[in-house]
Amino acid sequence: MADQDAQSQVGSEPPALSVLRWDELPEGPAVVLLDQTRLPSEEVELVCADVPALVRAIQSLAVRGAPLLGIAGGYGVALAAARGDDVARAAELLGQARPTAVNLGYGARRVARAHGAAVGQGAGPGAASAVALAEARALHREDAEASGRMAQYGLRLLAELLPGSAHRLLTHCNTGALVSGGEGTAFAVALGAHREGRLGRLWVDETRPLLQGARLTAYEAARHGLPYSLLTDNAAGSLFAAGEVDAVLIGADRIAADGSVANKVGSYPLAVLAKYHHVPFVVVAPTTTIDLDTVDGASIVVEQRSALEVTEITSPQIISAGSGGFRPAAAPVGAKAYNPAFDITPPELVTAIVTEEGVISPVTGVGLAELCARSSQVTIS
Ligand SMILES: CSC[C@H]1O[C@H](OP(=O)(O)O)[C@H](O)[C@@H]1O
């Protein structure tokens, strides 16, 4: 098997990625992003000087991943406040940029609420803008802290679930530092296992059509020297059949009150495979991804994306090999395509949900409410 068997360099940590930051530029404040559509071939920053630019970055997945979308939503509202733009309208535009990840609307509304409260108490534009920025920074910090705690709970759970110490973990999409204020969600658990010498192999689903696994998780795994192997999404079944998967670790974009999990398309088939092969299927997500106001999986809005993402080869590396942005066709011109960005895994297929407030297993709606009650971030509405 052709492994991307990076030298395991436990102990030699790469510099932290600057995934998203607030910057006071000569021309004014801005949200500065590591443009994830250019990875892994180019590490390029994207400067968003206003909310429309940030909305475009969210919709193109230059910035992506539920927890990071929440952070981006918060800084986006702070940017509107700093510019003297309509804060309520900014929160609405940001919240509508992508429908499935609950964190995006949560982050935008939380900062808008803080700004509104300051104004209501008589704060002038400058003071209220400072309050908004402070709330966005608090959200950023809390997510980084949540990432560390999820990794610890996740490692403890793997020790309970899996015998031995060379875990073979399969992950889907990208759930590392590129989706987080810290080291991520599910990927942070795999990274923690590696640091403890407990990671035998990280199986990385390429995750068609936008290749978050091949482009982003492989990039993060290589940076950390993880022993990883990339696979096409449709090769996962044969890995399970060969007994090569000890557990599945995935993230989430929205968890409904009944424990249904919305995550990158392809997660549900993995859950069915895991059930059939008696392999733990573990979801790792902060409580800001739990949405008690959405009663069940059928109520979750699943983002439908352009057919072109399926009918054209969209990997930036392949596009850059084309001429003038030409996108090689992967199908006849004009072919119709079904391109849901997410799918829904029912609670009965989920072994456990790992959050920064603890683990629920088996998943029950009551357990989710209890976890949210423990979290300082319970005000999702
Ligand atoms: C832990 S959040 C990461 C989550 O977000 C991804 O979706 P997208 O790349 O479209 O933002 C995917 O669902 C990941 O599991």
Side-chain angles (χ1 to χ4, degrees):
M1 182 178 294
D3 290 348
Q4 290 290 337
D5 209 355
Q7 288 302 318
S8 181
Q9 301 154 352
V10 178
S12 61
E13 293 291 346
L17 288 170
S18 173
V19 181
L20 181 153
R21 71 174 190 276
W22 175 272
D23 210 342
E24 300 285 354
L25 302 174
E27 54 274 22
V31 177
V32 181
L33 310 165
L34 175 60
D35 183 344
Q36 298 190 31
T37 64
R38 309 285 288 272
L39 292 174
S41 50
E42 298 172 276
E43 294 180 350
V44 174
E45 287 197 326
L46 180 63
V47 176
C48 298
D50 59 25
V51 168
L54 184 56
V55 167
R56 287 192 298 272
I58 290 168
Q59 291 173 333
S60 66
L61 279 72
V63 58
R64 45 157 292 281
L68 191 66
L69 288 175
I71 296 166
Y75 279 116
V77 171
L79 182 59
R83 290 171 43 88
D85 294 340
D86 182 333
V87 166
R89 179 64 180 148
E92 187 182 4
L93 288 172
L94 288 159
Q96 291 168 353
R98 290 184 74 194
T100 307
V102 64
N103 308 61
L104 178 53
Y106 160 73
R109 287 192 300 273
R110 171 171 160 177
V111 174
R113 203 166 38 240
H115 179 269
V119 171
Q121 289 160 8
S129 167
V131 166
L133 180 56
E135 191 69 19
R137 292 193 195 283
L139 176 60
H140 199 164
R141 187 173 55 252
E142 287 165 17
D143 189 73
E145 291 160 2
S147 173
R149 292 164 62 182
M150 284 186 279
Q152 292 311 309
Y153 278 119
L155 281 170
R156 210 178 297 170
L157 178 68
L158 290 183
E160 291 170 16
L161 292 174
L162 304 180
S165 62
H167 303 329
R168 297 163 299 178
L169 307 175
L170 186 141
T171 193
H172 191 68
C173 198
N174 169 251
T175 58
L178 292 170
V179 303
S180 169
E183 295 188 315
T185 60
F187 184 87
V189 177
L191 181 56
H194 174 63
R195 287 169 175 157
E196 292 187 359
R198 290 166 51 192
L199 182 65
R201 174 69 46 195
L202 181 66
W203 300 114
V204 178
D205 272 2
E206 65 171 352
T207 314
R208 283 262 309 150
L210 295 181
L211 304 175
Q212 287 93 326
R215 293 190 300 110
L216 307 178
T217 299
Y219 166 79
E220 293 200 68
R223 290 186 85 246
H224 287 281
L226 270 60
Y228 76 96
S229 296
L230 199 51
L231 62 143
T232 60
D233 301 324
N234 40 31
S238 54
L239 271 184
F240 281 92
E244 290 286 341
V245 182
D246 296 320
V248 176
L249 287 180
I250 64 163
D253 291 80
R254 190 183 295 250
I255 300 171
D258 71 344
S260 297
V261 176
N263 195 55
K264 183 52 52 196
V265 63
S267 300
Y268 172 58
L270 288 176
V272 174
L273 279 166
K275 192 75 172 180
Y276 181 80
H277 290 279
H278 310 291
V279 168
F281 182 85
V282 177
V283 176
V284 185
T287 53
T288 49
T289 303
I290 298 172
D291 175 13
L292 298 179
D293 294 332
T294 295
V295 291
D296 57 23
S299 309
I300 297 175
V301 175
V302 174
E303 178 185 7
Q304 300 297 322
R305 292 184 64 88
S306 164
L308 293 178
E309 294 179 351
V310 178
T311 61
E312 296 182 348
I313 304 295
T314 48
S315 163
Q317 278 177 310
I318 295 174
I319 292 172
S320 62
S323 56
F326 166 72
R327 293 184 172 195
V333 175
K336 295 193 179 349
Y338 169 59
N339 186 21
F342 304 98
D343 60 22
I344 308 296
T345 298
E348 60 268 24
L349 297 182
V350 178
T351 306
I353 291 183
V354 176
T355 76
E356 77 281 15
E357 298 296 341
V359 180
I360 321 172
S361 174
V363 173
T364 62
V366 171
L368 289 172
E370 179 194 337
L371 280 187
C372 283
R374 288 187 212 161
S375 163
S376 60
Q377 301 157 340
V378 70
T379 52
I380 287 175
S381 60

